[in-house]
Amino acid sequence: QVQLQESGPGLVKSSETLSLTCTVSGGSISGYYWSWIRQPPGRGLEWIAYIHSTGSANYNPSLKSRVSISVDTSKDQFSLKVGSVTAADTALYYCARHVFLGSYHYHFMDVWGKGTTVTVSS
Amino acid sequence: EIVLTQSPDALSLSPGEGATLSCRASQSVGSNYLAWYQQKRGQPPRLLIYGASSRATGIPDRFSGSGSGTDFTLTISRLEPEDFAVYFCQQYVGSPFTFGGGTKVEIK
């Protein structure tokens, strides 16, 4: 069964770039859409961006100017970069797989990583 | 951007009781492109319902979803101890995909 594991530094300094990687195991990254979603402490969920294994990407306009998502199919990994971080970027960051059902892709998520906490320090 | 408003913010109930959670969208989510997730403390969200009313694999039939257009409901027929958690709705009709603020179902 497919499992996702987020990795990256837990502490990032304000104004620097946050970099995270999601490793897919138990299955292939190919043929699916993959997202990054974050959850600030005690708050709700915010979708950040998705990427298809072919490299096609889409971003949340609220973050688009600072965010980049990429995929490395040879390693079954996809990655997120968030530039110019502030305290508002402190959150639990999840990677997740979009559903492929009946020959269609849907943009809800059926497999999630456990999440990685990122704290932005001043 | 479609804004999803969940109500109530919290629900205090006893095991065995039923729960009704609401999710209202600021505009139509088309052919019911609405999902529900359950999140327990310290865990990632777990997909419960998609397409407004289809249960995900392995989800017990005490969970049901209904609604269309802009008004959706998640119903838990008889609360089990493991059902006390936070529930989020999500629309996927269009980008940016958005989530509701969540409803916490807590033990009375």
Side-chain angles (χ1 to χ4, degrees):
Chain A
Q1 112 197 24
V2 175
Q3 293 185 311
L4 308 182
Q5 178 67 59
E6 304 89 349
S7 59
L11 190 63
V12 181
K13 291 184 178 179
S14 184
S15 79
E16 296 190 342
T17 295
L18 177 168
S19 296
L20 298 173
T21 295
C22 181
T23 301
V24 179
S25 60
S28 175
I29 201 169
S30 296
Y32 285 90
Y33 286 89
W34 305 88
S35 266
W36 286 99
I37 295 153
R38 70 182 183 181
Q39 186 170 33
R43 297 182 63 185
L45 298 158
E46 179 180 35
W47 172 74
I48 302 170
Y50 74 59
I51 192 163
H52 189 265
S53 57
T54 57
S56 172
N58 189 20
Y59 298 91
N60 190 323
S62 69
L63 294 162
K64 187 174 183 177
S65 63
R66 300 193 292 125
V67 170
S68 175
I69 192 170
S70 60
V71 64
D72 186 339
T73 55
S74 68
K75 295 181 180 179
D76 283 324
Q77 293 178 334
F78 63 104
S79 298
L80 177 75
K81 292 186 186 297
V82 182
S84 304
V85 297
T86 69
D89 295 307
T90 293
L92 181 58
Y93 285 75
Y94 293 105
C95 57
R97 186 184 75 173
H98 293 219
V99 169
F100 182 66
L101 188 64
S103 302
Y104 291 96
H105 290 281
Y106 294 95
H107 296 303
F108 60 94
M109 299 79 181
D110 64 344
V111 181
W112 294 66
K114 294 181 179 180
T116 188
T117 297
V118 176
T119 301
V120 177
S121 68
S122 55
Chain B
E1 171 175 321
I2 297 176
V3 176
L4 298 180
T5 302
Q6 290 188 242
S7 62
D9 291 337
L11 212 45
S12 292
L13 295 166
S14 300
E17 291 191 294
T20 301
L21 287 65
S22 173
C23 176
R24 177 165 290 178
S26 59
Q27 56 188 279
S28 176
V29 297
S31 300
N32 303 322
Y33 286 80
L34 194 286
W36 289 93
Y37 301 86
Q38 176 194 67
Q39 187 178 33
K40 297 180 182 179
R41 184 179 295 275
Q43 296 184 19
R46 172 195 181 197
L47 178 66
L48 295 177
I49 301 285
Y50 63 92
S53 61
S54 297
R55 273 187 299 276
T57 302
I59 302 304
D61 60 7
R62 64 180 180 274
F63 291 92
S64 63
S66 63
S68 64
T70 60
D71 289 304
F72 299 87
T73 300
L74 174 70
T75 301
I76 311 171
S77 59
R78 293 172 310 280
L79 284 162
E80 298 288 340
E82 62 267 28
D83 299 337
F84 291 91
V86 179
Y87 293 83
F88 294 98
C89 55
Q90 180 224 333
Q91 65 80 17
Y92 52 97
V93 68
S95 176
F97 314 118
T98 51
F99 293 85
T103 292
K104 183 177 183 179
V105 178
E106 54 192 18
I107 299 177
K108 187 173 182 179

